[in-house]
Amino acid sequence: MLAIQNAKLFREIEEKGRELEAASRHKSQFLANMSHELRIPLNLVLGFTELLVDGIYGELPDKAKTTVARVQANGRHLLGLINDVLDLSKIEAGQLTLAIEDYSVAQIVRLTVTAVEPLARAKRRRVLAALGTGPPPTVNPSKKPLVSSFGRVGDCRVALF
């Protein structure tokens, strides 16, 4: 009796495993398709903003040029996020390996301020970011934790007024 129950449970576990594998394949395929479908129109938007910034359609007023440059910067950020989602699905499928690289804290702060500033302005707020003096902080995540490296190199303050 116990052997029959064990065999039945084993078959159920095998079936659930096959169902999970199929669901994982479908999820990965969905992520790859969605990433592709999002990247095509986003690349078109980025291409048109570049043409506008370059003055192909005529010179833009400074305020419009600044706004279009922000659209372009935020579009590139969004494209990066979409590529990250695609990379995660590739990592899950074993088709991509991670490469740990140095990164610039100053660049991350600038990108963050660029993304948040329009939202703050819409609420009549200002975003100010000040990086410490000295060499631009760069962090290598494989060598030391962010906090100790960042604390030694300088500081960063971001304020919302």
Side-chain angles (χ1 to χ4, degrees), residues 84 87 91 95-103 139-142:
D84 289 347
D87 288 347
I91 290 168
Q95 299 172 350
L96 185 73
T97 56
L98 293 176
I100 296 176
E101 299 175 356
D102 292 355
Y103 58 91
V139 178
N140 182 326
S142 66

Side-chain angles (χ1 to χ4, degrees), residues 14-154:
E14 282 182 330
E15 179 62 26
K16 293 296 179 193
R18 284 190 293 274
E19 289 174 10
L20 286 172
E21 285 178 23
S24 180
R25 280 192 311 274
H26 291 306
K27 178 194 67 155
S28 295
Q29 186 63 41
F30 172 78
L31 289 174
N33 288 341
M34 284 306 299
S35 295
H36 179 72
E37 294 298 322
L38 292 171
R39 279 191 291 177
I40 290 172
L42 183 55
N43 279 319
L44 286 170
V45 169
L46 289 174
F48 284 123
T49 58
E50 186 173 339
L51 293 173
L52 289 168
V53 169
D54 290 346
I56 298 297
Y57 298 113
E59 197 61 33
L60 291 175
D62 287 339
K63 190 172 182 178
K65 197 180 284 190
T66 301
T67 302
V68 171
R70 286 182 192 273
V71 169
Q72 192 174 37
N74 286 314
R76 285 189 184 124
H77 177 69
L78 181 58
L79 184 60
L81 292 175
I82 292 168
N83 286 334
D84 289 347
V85 168
L86 184 58
D87 288 347
L88 287 174
S89 66
K90 286 180 181 178
I91 290 168
E92 279 187 351
Q95 299 172 350
L96 185 73
T97 56
L98 293 176
I100 296 176
E101 299 175 356
D102 292 355
Y103 58 91
S104 166
V105 174
Q107 183 178 7
I108 291 171
V109 170
R110 280 192 293 276
L111 288 171
T112 302
V113 168
T114 299
V116 171
E117 195 171 38
L119 301 171
R121 193 175 334 108
K123 295 185 181 216
R124 293 192 164 102
R125 303 275 191 216
R126 289 185 312 153
V127 178
L128 300 175
L131 292 169
T133 59
T138 301
V139 178
N140 182 326
S142 66
K143 293 184 181 170
K144 51 193 155 222
L146 173 63
V147 174
S148 67
S149 174
F150 189 57
R152 281 197 323 247
V153 174

